[in-house]
Amino acid sequence: MTGFILASGSAIRRQILTGAGVRFETESPGVDEDALKEAMILSPPGEVAQALAQAKALAVSARHPQALVLGADQVLAMDGKVFDKAKDEAEARQRLETLRGRTHTLEGGLAAARGGDLVWTHRSTATLKVREFSDVFLDFYMERAGGELTASVGAYAYEGLGAQLFEAVEGDYYAILGLPLLPVLDLLRREGVVMT
């Protein structure tokens, strides 16, 4: 045990931490995300993301009280609606058609827990304008994107081919990927997980 646990199954979050030289373990939090989202259906998207991150951190912290546990979540919001990950390629295509030519936000929440108590929280917002891509490009993208279509709420991986979907982006690159790295590294230094 490294003393630091990422309460997430996200491959990109693991990749971000690994790339930054952070040693960590991962554990699935086992949180009923759908039930929590349903209970917060009238809440602002950023609050939903924060509540999910906190629930994940606290769930894993209860099982590993000595470790620092980081929970993270992200929701896509547009026109007052919160979107979940697409269940299949058909839904992913519909999502991309809905986003085409429009602006949406990615609302991110982070929470760290130790000993069953929250010790830190962070929220982020990124604003993304999807370009008016052609149906030919959409067909090309659908063919090439593969697992990316159902791995993120927007049906895109911004760090890869998905970058071609956008006209303009405002926000931290790592926040768009779902793990704002610099605030996390600051937390890890203060908690003694990485060197100061």
Side-chain angles (χ1 to χ4, degrees), residues 149-171:
L149 295 169
T150 55
S152 73
V153 292
Y156 55 77
Y158 181 68
E159 69 277 14
L161 181 63
Q164 291 193 39
L165 294 167
F166 297 96
E167 177 180 317
V169 171
E170 293 178 18

Side-chain angles (χ1 to χ4, degrees), residues 36-101:
L36 185 53
K37 286 177 186 175
E38 184 65 30
M40 297 186 71
I41 195 140
L42 298 178
S43 299
E47 289 181 17
V48 174
Q50 188 64 58
L52 287 164
Q54 291 176 6
K56 292 175 181 181
L58 290 169
V60 174
S61 182
R63 298 190 293 266
H64 302 281
Q66 301 304 314
L68 179 69
V69 179
L70 181 67
D73 208 278
Q74 184 182 63
V75 298
L76 187 155
M78 187 172 69
D79 298 334
K81 181 179 177 186
V82 172
F83 293 83
D84 289 322
K85 291 178 184 173
K87 294 174 183 61
D88 54 34
E89 283 190 22
E91 188 177 345
R93 184 182 188 95
Q94 184 179 30
R95 174 75 40 79
L96 291 167
E97 289 171 342
T98 299
L99 296 176
R100 178 168 35 193

Side-chain angles (χ1 to χ4, degrees), residues 1-6 17-18 20-25 188 193-194:
M1 184 67 69
T2 62
F4 175 48
I5 302 173
L6 176 63
L17 288 175
T18 299
V22 177
R23 293 183 61 227
F24 63 98
E25 306 290 329
L188 297 180
V193 175
V194 297

